[in-house]
Amino acid sequence: MSAFDPDSELSGDIAFRLMAASFVRLFWRHAVLDQAIDWLLAHGYQVVRLDASAWTREEDLHTAIAQALEFPDYYGRNPAALNDCLSDVTTFEYGARRDATGLVIVFTGYDKFAAYCPDVAQLSLDIIATQARTAALFGHRMCCLVQTDDPDARFDPVGAMPVLWNDAEWLDSNRHPG
């Protein structure tokens, strides 16, 4: 799937409205989430739903994601491995269908998991946001919808991009000769 068409009327495109501001979006009301999911499904998106409400440890998150996205058996069940495997999802190695308009990962009851494992919950959303941005470079639409039963839920920013040196000058020695 290509990027969104700038010549199209996008105000009614729920996917565009969701992804334009952030690749990870919060939902409180189940009805609002269900309405968004119904629209996405009707427009060819692959939707992967994960109920996080019973997760009490990091392993629960990794087990559910690995199963839902068909991660390989060697998946390490840690944040670095999640990042690695999601990078393969962005390039359709597994977990994402090429014939779908895009991939939407949906977490419900995420606030309950975040109460048990706040750092892992935050880091996982950050990894997903970062990989969704990478997917966009390949024309692969990807986002995460996070339902919380806490109407005041807050997460730190996700998917932040550092300002980096170019490839030829990233080593200090390449900028400070001799």
Side-chain angles (χ1 to χ4, degrees):
M1 170 55 63
S2 63
F4 293 95
D5 182 356
D7 296 324
S8 296
E9 172 54 47
L10 294 172
S11 64
D13 189 318
I14 290 176
F16 179 79
R17 290 181 19 227
L18 288 170
M19 290 184 235
S22 174
F23 291 111
V24 177
R25 298 300 291 268
L26 288 173
F27 287 78
W28 173 53
R29 291 185 186 95
H30 286 273
V32 175
L33 175 63
D34 291 343
Q35 186 177 23
I37 290 171
D38 289 346
W39 188 95
L40 292 162
L41 288 168
H43 287 83
Y45 284 82
Q46 174 187 354
V47 176
V48 175
R49 301 176 200 217
L50 300 166
D51 181 359
S53 65
W55 300 348
T56 58
R57 40 194 196 106
E58 180 177 354
E59 178 65 24
D60 298 331
L61 171 131
H62 292 292
T63 298
I65 288 178
Q67 182 179 16
L69 294 176
E70 304 167 346
F71 285 0
D73 291 338
Y74 58 81
Y75 173 56
R77 290 175 162 63
N78 60 59
L82 176 63
N83 189 55
D84 288 345
C85 284
L86 279 177
S87 72
D88 292 339
V89 171
T90 68
T91 58
F92 302 101
E93 299 286 324
Y94 42 78
R97 295 189 339 257
R98 284 187 183 268
D99 65 334
T101 305
L103 173 64
V104 181
I105 300 169
V106 178
F107 293 123
T108 56
Y110 203 71
D111 55 305
K112 300 197 179 37
F113 172 62
Y116 284 104
C117 302
D119 294 338
V120 172
Q122 175 69 41
L123 181 56
S124 298
L125 296 180
D126 186 62
I127 290 168
I128 292 169
T130 300
Q131 290 301 334
R133 184 181 62 246
T134 301
L137 296 173
F138 297 110
H140 179 191
R141 299 178 190 179
M142 186 171 142
C143 71
C144 181
L145 309 181
V146 179
Q147 187 278 327
T148 171
D149 292 323
D150 177 0
D152 297 316
R154 300 280 186 269
F155 290 92
D156 290 334
V158 294
M161 295 177 61
V163 177
L164 300 174
W165 284 99
N166 67 76
D167 290 347
E169 298 175 324
W170 72 273
L171 286 175
D172 287 343
S173 61
N174 290 344
R175 294 189 315 275
H176 300 282

